[in-house]
Amino acid sequence: MRKTLLLAYIFFIGFFSADAQKLQSPAEFLGYKLGDQFTPHYRVIDYFKYVASVSKEVIQLKSYGKTYENRPLITAFISSPQNMARLEDIRKNNMQLAGIEPGNGKTDQPVIVWLSYNVHGNESVSTEASLQTLFDLVDPANAKTKTWLQNTVVILDPCLNPDGRERYVNFYNPIRNLIPDPIPNVREHIEPWPGGRANHYYFDLNRDWAWQTQIETQQRIVLYNKWLPQVHVDFHEQGINEPYYFAPAAEPFHQDITKWQREFQTIIGKNNARYFDEKGWMFFTRERFDLLYPSYGDTYPTYNGSVGMTYEQGGSGRAGLAVLNDEGDTLTLSDRIAHHYTTGLSTVEAASLNYLKAVNEFKIYFTNSKTNPAGEYKAYIIKGENSGKLKSLAAMLQRNGIEFGYGASKGANGFNYFTGKNEAFKISKNDMVISAYQPKSVMLKVLFEPKTFVSDSATYDITAWAMPYAYGLQAYATREAIKPQNTGTTSVDLTNKNTLIKPVAYIANWNAVADVKFLSELLKKNVKVRFTEIPFESAGKKFAAGSLIIARTSNDKLGDFDQIVKDLAIKSEIQLQSISSAFVDKGADLGSDKIRFIKKPSVALVTGEETSSLAVGEIWHFFEQQIGFPLSVLNYQDFNKINLNNFNVLIFPDGNYQNLGNEKLQAWIRDGGKLIAMEGAVAQLAGHKGFNLKLKVPEKKDEKLKSPPFTFKSYENRERELLNNSIPGAIYKVDMDNTHPLAFGYPDFYYTLKLDDRIYDYLEDDWNVGVLKKNNYVTGFAGQNTRKKLVDGLLFGVQIMGRGSVVYLTDDPLFRSFWENGKLLFSNAVFMVGQ
């Protein structure tokens, strides 16, 4: 009997141990089939950890950071046991092939394929598909994937945007019907504002790859640039009526995308098509999704040597678990998972079958970058007059792995971005020098090219982004190869110039975001701050209009006044100067009425269904993450209940408001409030009683003129016809009155990114601060009719209303937070105007 029990026990333990080692599918682990519900992020992480724990020879998890809401960001590295044992060696060899790490890399390494899922949170099928893809790649019974992984390393990121995805999942799961309701306009298919697409700060992370303004992108790109895969796929969803899209991409292709990068898109696309044809699934290629704007999940990898691709499944936030499309078919979550799962594995297969060619072409790409960079310009020189902006540009370049230095004792000739002409110039020790002869040469060219060649103007996004315009920095592009003398991170002296023991006042510049952060820190510490309306000179030092003045007067109760100011300057990384007397050599003395006291603003941002979540997010992020200044956030639906006297600054971002110019708002302005209206909010105030702004209407043609003969408008060319009136994103030079507080810190011009054709009549009795004149177009696509319209009108202005003011910002100065030069304009509106 005892022997029988012992044998039974041994059998039980053996059976249990064997079963424990069996890899569970997602359905077995989660307790439901994929497609039956949306999986919360923590359960996704649990499954990845579980797989890694039972399949240690073929998978490693790497945590690369956390989101703003503290959710984990992970990647899974998957390959054969032999490759996993030398994973770091493979990475180093790959970086040697790219010329980024020293050594001669060998091309007989595995191809690296990076699969990125769910950058848009409500395109939530992607993460579900990643679970099944992970299982099939790791499953020891899957002979196909085991073969592929002999020469392939797969890097799988299950969710690039956990905060946005959880917002969607937490919306959908609690309100879904027991049996999913496929009718598209019922509750479970209508997300509440702001939706789950964006991250915590409502940023579109798929437009942030190059700029890296968001913490999720910043952390991911650090890891990405340590690996530089040969193939990258960005998984998305589109409208519920769309079939599946995969590469090859649509025109316009950027002209520096190589022949191989185009060819391999087609190879992979045909492999995807083979599987879809077998299943009878519909798809399309070579339409809509182009390869131009550099900050997408397909273009950024492409400009960094990869074959970057977008895959788009029909569905998105409208789809839920099941939805009826216009053709009467029911699209289910299970269908959507199957499609993304299929293209994911198909891509791994195609890369594996072509691994030698892919790796060899990768090496050629970077060898050419270092020895024969594309394009006519071989160096870029950025003048160092504005150390704050130059430091911000340097940080962006470093994040992208672009090499640069400072100084070159010589003269040169090059294209002047500000004049549009070739000119002679001298290079000083503080000028940034960027040579095109480097591994990241293509990315450098794309970011700095004065005019981006657009082969097809029907593009998906903005068409101009050159960094000298975005940062407002004087720059030259030279055909001559120039190397920097100093390859350190900076040669700009940022130490504080304080030789006086007890100065009358400290002075700080006002021409960069770091200066705004310094002001924010001072105000939060209740330090009294002033600014000068006009330039002045003291003891041989020149100070521009807008310069901050922190006088000992009125601040003597702070305790150690000097130490507080110096510490805050160091924290803000700004240069601080001092003066010994309130009696100045030129300009206004410190007691003049030209020296204005800055009243600490109490700022509120209007949000809600009426507003653009992207526009709200740019402002929210700027206050909290960039300048650290308090901001109250209001819902416009609660506007009539809110006591506006708690605030002296109200910001209305782009949106579609009901009764925006109401009497309550106007009374608050007349009583001393400041309204900052932006983009669409400006358009809705134009022509409203009490507001002096009017939308400029093009002059009508003389009706007496003979009409042209009738011609057919081609139905086939209907999309092309619309382009005559479009402007997807072009750069214009704005003439600025820099004596007005709204334009402090600028020269007499500013480069704006124009995203619409709206322009306004000049204000008759108020302040026209930023205007377009004739021939102010700089670069980027603008339709023929739009170009004619955008002349002789107002873009930025200030209206006085009683004791208050209205600031009109018709363009977005905070666009995607990468338009660095606009941030000071917005800060002027908040802190300077109306003081």
Side-chain angles (χ1 to χ4, degrees):
M1 181 66 179
R2 292 175 64 185
K3 184 177 180 181
T4 302
L5 289 173
L6 180 62
L7 290 172
Y9 177 76
I10 293 172
F11 175 80
F12 174 78
I13 293 297
F15 177 83
F16 182 82
S17 299
D19 187 62
Q21 295 303 312
K22 175 183 176 294
L23 181 65
Q24 294 181 2
S25 68
E28 291 169 327
F29 182 86
L30 297 170
Y32 55 85
K33 289 194 305 181
L34 290 179
D36 284 355
Q37 68 177 66
F38 289 106
T39 306
H41 187 65
Y42 79 95
R43 292 295 284 156
V44 174
I45 299 298
D46 285 348
Y47 185 66
F48 270 71
K49 287 181 176 178
Y50 157 73
V51 172
S53 71
V54 299
S55 306
K56 294 178 181 178
E57 289 189 344
V58 296
I59 178 174
Q60 287 183 20
L61 293 189
K62 291 184 184 291
S63 172
Y64 65 85
K66 291 187 176 181
T67 69
Y68 284 112
E69 296 176 17
N70 212 34
R71 293 186 175 91
L73 296 163
I74 66 166
T75 52
F77 289 73
I78 307 158
S79 193
S80 67
Q82 295 80 8
N83 290 333
M84 294 302 297
R86 59 186 186 100
L87 191 62
E88 178 60 13
D89 291 338
I90 292 172
R91 187 197 70 79
K92 287 183 177 179
N93 186 77
N94 198 59
M95 298 303 281
Q96 289 172 352
L97 291 174
I100 293 173
E101 290 192 9
N104 296 316
K106 298 178 180 179
T107 57
D108 61 348
Q109 70 161 40
V111 62
I112 301 170
V113 178
W114 190 306
L115 306 178
S116 293
Y117 296 88
N118 239 127
V119 69
H120 290 148
N122 61 359
E123 298 174 9
S124 46
V125 66
S126 300
T127 294
E128 306 292 332
S130 78
L131 296 169
Q132 189 63 48
T133 304
L134 171 69
F135 174 77
D136 275 44
L137 288 172
V138 175
D139 183 8
N142 192 320
K144 281 188 176 182
T145 59
K146 286 176 71 175
T147 300
W148 302 339
L149 293 175
Q150 294 299 315
N151 51 36
T152 308
V153 173
V154 177
I155 305 173
L156 194 157
D157 188 334
C159 189
L160 280 64
N161 181 11
D163 292 350
R165 188 173 191 275
E166 285 298 276
R167 193 183 309 129
Y168 176 77
V169 171
N170 289 334
F171 145 72
Y172 187 84
N173 281 347
I175 59 93
R176 53 160 289 201
N177 285 4
L178 181 62
I179 299 175
D181 189 341
I183 300 173
N185 58 354
V186 300
R187 180 178 68 163
E188 65 185 78
H189 297 295
I190 308 298
E191 287 182 83
W193 189 94
R197 177 183 175 91
N199 76 337
H200 171 80
Y201 281 108
Y202 310 159
F203 271 69
D204 185 334
L205 295 182
N206 193 41
R207 271 76 175 168
D208 195 46
W209 281 73
W211 322 130
Q212 298 156 50
T213 69
Q214 301 301 289
I215 193 170
E216 295 90 349
T217 317
Q218 292 166 5
Q219 295 169 122
R220 183 178 70 255
I221 296 300
V222 169
L223 181 64
Y224 186 91
N225 279 326
K226 288 181 179 178
W227 281 90
L228 294 178
Q230 281 78 41
V231 177
H232 180 269
V233 181
D234 193 19
F235 290 87
H236 285 264
E237 289 188 83
Q238 52 190 327
I240 61 175
N241 296 306
E242 305 293 342
Y244 201 95
Y245 163 83
F246 47 74
E251 291 287 351
F253 276 65
H254 191 278
Q255 60 185 346
D256 292 319
I257 295 174
T258 67
K259 183 172 181 270
W260 163 249
Q261 287 173 318
R262 292 170 180 253
E263 286 177 356
F264 203 30
Q265 282 206 357
T266 300
I267 291 170
I268 294 172
K270 287 183 176 180
N271 204 52
N272 292 340
R274 177 168 61 89
Y275 286 104
F276 270 55
D277 288 340
E278 287 176 1
K279 299 285 188 179
W281 295 338
M282 298 294 286
F283 62 89
F284 68 98
T285 66
R286 294 166 293 190
E287 294 182 69
R288 192 176 307 157
F289 302 103
D290 59 68
L291 290 174
L292 189 68
Y293 173 69
S295 205
Y296 281 134
D298 52 9
T299 50
Y300 184 84
T302 298
Y303 300 145
N304 282 280
S306 181
V307 176
M309 296 169 291
T310 290
Y311 293 172
E312 295 267 358
Q313 164 62 46
S316 199
R318 290 291 305 281
L321 295 182
V323 66
L324 279 169
N325 63 22
D326 286 350
E327 295 180 354
D329 294 327
T330 300
L331 176 66
T332 68
L333 179 58
S334 297
D335 296 333
R336 293 150 62 199
I337 292 171
H339 300 160
H340 266 344
Y341 157 78
T342 298
T343 55
L345 290 184
S346 168
T347 300
V348 174
E349 179 185 36
S352 173
L353 293 173
N354 295 274
Y355 83 101
L356 287 173
K357 178 71 170 174
V359 174
N360 189 60
E361 289 290 342
F362 178 84
K363 180 181 181 180
I364 293 171
Y365 183 95
F366 284 100
T367 299
N368 288 339
S369 293
K370 291 184 69 174
T371 61
N372 186 29
E376 60 180 315
Y377 298 121
K378 305 307 177 185
Y380 302 90
I381 316 299
I382 297 88
K383 304 300 289 182
E385 286 89 353
N386 190 317
S387 61
K389 289 181 181 176
L390 195 66
K391 187 172 183 181
S392 294
L393 176 62
M396 189 276 291
L397 296 175
Q398 286 174 320
R399 290 194 298 268
N400 284 292
I402 294 174
E403 301 166 357
F404 61 91
Y406 294 88
S409 300
K410 62 177 297 181
N413 190 284
F415 174 83
N416 184 333
Y417 283 79
F418 284 4
T419 66
K421 301 176 181 178
N422 285 313
E423 299 173 359
F425 67 98
K426 291 185 178 180
I427 304 172
S428 71
K429 67 176 184 178
N430 289 337
D431 294 344
M432 179 184 285
V433 178
I434 315 172
S435 170
Y437 292 85
Q438 60 168 296
K440 293 297 189 82
S441 178
V442 174
M443 191 69 201
L444 168 66
K445 176 182 179 292
V446 171
L447 293 178
F448 278 83
E449 56 192 355
K451 293 185 183 295
T452 298
F453 173 74
V454 181
S455 61
D456 188 330
S457 49
T459 183
Y460 198 66
D461 212 297
I462 64 173
T463 57
W465 50 78
M467 293 297 96
Y469 302 125
Y471 280 78
L473 288 167
Q474 173 70 73
Y476 296 86
T478 71
R479 292 182 172 88
E480 175 189 4
I482 301 174
K483 292 183 178 181
Q485 284 183 333
N486 171 20
T487 56
T489 56
T490 179
S491 69
V492 180
D493 185 4
L494 295 176
T495 58
N496 292 327
K497 305 297 185 182
N498 297 311
T499 57
L500 301 175
I501 297 175
K502 198 172 182 180
V504 164
Y506 293 98
I507 315 293
N509 290 330
W510 183 259
N511 58 20
V513 174
D515 306 318
V516 182
K517 182 179 179 181
F518 179 52
L519 174 60
S520 169
E521 296 293 338
L522 291 168
L523 295 177
K524 287 191 295 184
K525 291 287 187 181
N526 296 316
V527 178
K528 292 181 172 60
V529 186
R530 296 169 172 81
F531 69 87
T532 176
E533 284 190 336
I534 61 174
F536 71 92
E537 294 184 25
S538 177
K541 302 173 184 176
K542 295 182 179 181
F543 302 99
S547 296
L548 302 179
I549 301 170
I550 309 101
R552 192 171 300 277
T553 302
S554 305
N555 284 310
D556 50 359
K557 295 180 181 180
L558 287 175
D560 194 344
F561 164 70
D562 298 275
Q563 195 61 48
I564 290 173
V565 175
K566 291 176 183 178
D567 287 348
L568 293 179
I570 292 171
K571 180 180 179 181
S572 305
E573 300 182 345
I574 64 105
Q575 188 180 85
L576 198 62
Q577 301 192 68
S578 56
I579 58 176
S580 60
S581 174
F583 188 97
V584 303
D585 301 331
K586 291 182 181 180
D589 295 328
L590 298 197
S592 166
D593 64 359
K594 299 295 189 295
I595 308 299
R596 309 294 294 178
F597 177 75
I598 298 178
K599 182 181 178 182
K600 183 179 179 180
S602 178
V603 187
L605 169 64
V606 176
T607 69
E609 296 283 352
E610 298 79 8
T611 64
S612 159
S613 60
L614 295 174
V616 167
E618 291 168 354
I619 299 165
W620 185 20
H621 182 267
F622 181 73
F623 274 91
E624 288 200 344
Q625 295 294 329
Q626 297 180 58
I627 65 171
F629 193 78
L631 176 73
S632 295
V633 180
L634 315 176
N635 279 322
Y636 188 63
Q637 291 180 348
D638 300 327
F639 191 78
N640 290 330
K641 307 173 189 176
I642 295 170
N643 181 2
L644 296 184
N645 293 326
N646 291 324
F647 314 102
N648 53 31
V649 178
L650 281 178
I651 303 173
F652 279 75
D654 187 30
N656 185 17
Y657 301 87
Q658 295 292 322
N659 193 26
L660 176 55
N662 57 71
E663 178 53 32
K664 178 180 179 179
L665 180 61
Q666 292 196 42
W668 173 82
I669 299 170
R670 290 193 296 268
D671 199 35
K674 178 166 58 181
L675 168 65
I676 301 174
M678 304 177 71
E679 301 181 273
V682 177
Q684 289 167 74
L685 291 177
H688 197 288
K689 184 178 179 181
F691 295 89
N692 297 340
L693 193 69
K694 293 181 180 179
L695 191 66
K696 185 175 181 180
V697 180
E699 295 181 3
K700 292 184 178 180
K701 295 181 179 179
D702 189 343
E703 295 180 358
K704 296 180 181 179
L705 294 176
K706 185 177 180 180
S707 299
F710 172 79
T711 57
F712 279 108
K713 184 167 64 175
S714 171
Y715 182 77
E716 181 184 13
N717 293 330
R718 60 193 182 280
E719 293 182 2
R720 301 286 164 193
E721 290 293 327
L722 294 174
L723 294 175
N724 288 326
N725 298 301
S726 76
I727 181 167
I731 297 172
Y732 275 73
K733 186 176 183 179
V734 183
D735 289 273
M736 301 286 278
D737 174 12
N738 62 2
T739 68
H740 191 282
L742 184 58
F744 281 168
Y746 288 96
D748 59 3
F749 58 89
Y750 164 79
Y751 291 98
T752 191
L753 186 64
K754 206 81 185 73
L755 299 166
D756 60 46
D757 65 354
R758 288 194 289 249
I759 190 169
Y760 297 83
D761 289 331
Y762 297 121
L763 294 166
E764 292 185 3
D765 299 314
D766 293 292
W767 302 107
N768 298 288
V769 182
V771 301
L772 286 185
K773 297 180 181 178
K774 293 180 180 178
N775 301 318
N776 277 31
Y777 164 82
V778 177
T779 185
F781 177 77
Q784 181 179 358
N785 295 338
T786 301
R787 291 272 293 269
K788 292 177 181 178
K789 188 175 180 181
L790 289 175
V791 294
D792 294 327
L794 173 82
L795 291 186
F796 309 121
V798 177
Q799 175 186 339
I800 304 303
M801 185 183 292
R803 294 190 295 112
S805 56
V806 182
V807 181
Y808 299 113
L809 302 177
T810 69
D811 289 342
D812 183 3
L814 303 178
F815 183 73
R816 295 179 185 167
S817 197
F818 91 85
W819 204 257
E820 192 73 16
N821 198 31
K823 294 174 183 177
L824 187 67
L825 181 68
F826 178 77
S827 300
N828 284 337
V830 174
F831 294 102
M832 295 295 184
V833 173
Q835 297 285 0

